[in-house]
Amino acid sequence: VVVRVSGPTATVCEEGRLIEARLAPKLPGRPVVAGDRVTLRAAGNERTVVAIDPRRTLLERGDGWERRARPLAANADLRVFPAGVAAPPLRPRLLDRYLVAAEVGGLEAAIAITKTDLPHDGSELEEVVDLYRSVGYPALCGSAHDAEFVERLREQIGGRVAVLAGHSGVGKSTLTAALTGVERATGAVSERIGTGRHTTTDPRLIPMPSGGAIVDTAGVRTFHLPRMDREQLERGFPEIAAAAPDCRFRGCAHDGDAGCAVVDAVSPPRLESYRRLLHDLR
């Protein structure tokens, strides 16, 4: 199992021990990412990654102006989205893009809203939490420094592999350290713009002492979806996908069309978020 990729080499867990392996120059299925299961070829003391097993799940983001699919983590079970209630502020539309990427990639998703120890609008937080719970997403609220909150998150993950991915400065690295016992660099929050500085530069798979593992990823200030078709985007909103068969016309885009069943079945904020992403596809 690939733990981390750095340039032309990968750190691989082989039979319980970590080794460094070179990536074959013409490796089919590249790039290799954390969580990939790979085949190694031995030549003396050197190991080379020569094949990537079929991926059970794959988390991707859009890269560049063409939004080409860039793999972030493979074979994870769950994507956990740390989102700060303040500093930086909660951004539901960014959260929606993360949720779509999880659904399209075959992962379950959960939300961990952090920094509730900071001043915030309690009614706004309750409204956001209720919205996502109504869709079916588990949503936990607390502080990355609160042992009880960390334990609830640990129970949510269980023995699975979870990708932690979210906005810079929400306490993701602190959560990772609390869950795994492995310290990684944590950065200060920028006073000028109120967002965290990037502290994690490459996705890395870190086992948890109680079982399961965390794939720690770099914090971002924005997240672009890879190119996808309308059907994939619809699948990324489970409540829209569930209501879509009742639409009057086959292939309804749910963009104000007559006879669309989605309008009355989906909350206005989520429908607006879907429509914005739909227009980005065009």
Side-chain angles (χ1 to χ4, degrees), residues 75-93:
N75 301 315
D77 305 291
L78 175 71
R79 184 170 186 174
V80 177
F81 306 89
V85 73
L90 196 57
R91 294 173 58 191
R93 287 212 169 93

Side-chain angles (χ1 to χ4, degrees), residues 78-79 81 96 99 103 107-111 128-140 156 160 236-240 242 265 267 270:
L78 175 71
R79 184 170 186 174
F81 306 89
D96 285 339
L99 291 170
E103 295 283 355
L107 289 80
E108 293 184 31
I111 300 165
V128 170
V129 168
D130 287 347
L131 170 61
Y132 288 105
R133 285 177 178 167
S134 71
V135 177
Y137 294 115
L140 308 177
Q156 182 69 48
R160 298 180 290 178
F237 287 79
E239 70 272 45
I240 292 179
S267 69
R270 289 274 288 172

Side-chain angles (χ1 to χ4, degrees), residues 30-92:
R30 288 184 77 167
V32 180
V33 292
D36 267 324
R37 304 186 72 88
V38 297
T39 300
L40 301 178
R41 183 181 64 211
N45 293 326
E46 185 177 270
R47 298 287 190 276
T48 303
V49 176
V50 294
I52 304 171
D53 286 1
R55 291 157 167 161
R56 184 170 49 83
T57 66
L58 182 62
L59 187 60
E60 298 177 305
R61 66 174 295 174
D63 201 18
W65 68 273
E66 293 181 338
R67 301 218 310 263
R68 286 174 295 200
R70 176 187 170 192
L72 296 176
N75 301 315
D77 305 291
L78 175 71
R79 184 170 186 174
V80 177
F81 306 89
V85 73
L90 196 57
R91 294 173 58 191

Side-chain angles (χ1 to χ4, degrees), residues 1-6 10-14 17-20 32-36 38 184 202-207 214-216:
V1 177
V2 174
V3 172
R4 177 189 179 193
V5 177
S6 181
T11 304
V12 180
C13 182
E14 181 188 43
R17 63 195 181 99
L18 296 179
I19 63 170
E20 295 299 315
V32 180
V33 292
D36 267 324
V38 297
R184 296 199 59 176
D202 55 290
R204 185 179 305 185
L205 191 150
I206 309 171
I214 299 296
V215 178
D216 192 17

Side-chain angles (χ1 to χ4, degrees), residues 268-280:
R270 289 274 288 172
L271 184 56
E272 174 64 19
S273 188
Y274 163 83
R275 287 173 171 172
R276 287 193 180 204
L277 293 172
L278 179 67
H279 294 166
D280 284 347

Side-chain angles (χ1 to χ4, degrees), residues 81-267:
F81 306 89
V85 73
L90 196 57
R91 294 173 58 191
R93 287 212 169 93
L94 174 62
L95 190 54
D96 285 339
R97 291 198 291 273
Y98 278 122
L99 291 170
V100 169
E103 295 283 355
V104 171
L107 289 80
E108 293 184 31
I111 300 165
I113 298 179
T114 62
K115 298 193 174 184
T116 56
D117 52 329
L118 297 180
H120 63 277
D121 186 330
S123 60
E124 180 185 7
L125 173 60
E126 184 178 2
E127 186 177 332
V128 170
V129 168
D130 287 347
L131 170 61
Y132 288 105
R133 285 177 178 167
S134 71
V135 177
Y137 294 115
L140 308 177
C141 301
S143 166
H145 299 284
D146 180 4
E148 182 181 346
F149 173 66
V150 173
E151 184 56 34
R152 284 190 288 127
L153 183 55
R154 184 181 287 112
E155 290 174 0
Q156 182 69 48
I157 296 169
R160 298 180 290 178
V161 176
V163 182
L164 258 64
H167 198 288
S168 299
V170 298
K172 183 174 56 60
S173 293
T174 303
L175 272 179
T176 299
L179 290 166
T180 65
V182 176
E183 292 290 340
R184 296 199 59 176
T186 55
V189 173
S190 166
E191 294 181 3
R192 184 171 63 85
I193 56 176
T195 58
R197 298 170 189 155
H198 296 283
T199 57
T200 304
T201 57
D202 55 290
R204 185 179 305 185
L205 191 150
I206 309 171
M208 294 193 296
S210 57
I214 299 296
V215 178
D216 192 17
T217 66
V220 298
R221 296 195 178 99
T222 187
F223 179 85
H224 296 293
L225 289 169
R227 286 287 175 191
M228 61 180 65
D229 56 34
R230 184 185 59 77
E231 289 76 15
Q232 287 176 299
L233 178 62
E234 181 181 297
R235 195 165 74 244
F237 287 79
E239 70 272 45
I240 292 179
D246 295 328
C247 287
R248 182 178 176 187
F249 298 107
R250 231 174 132 183
C252 177
H254 322 304
D255 195 21
D257 309 276
C260 178
V262 164
V263 174
D264 295 326
V266 177
S267 69

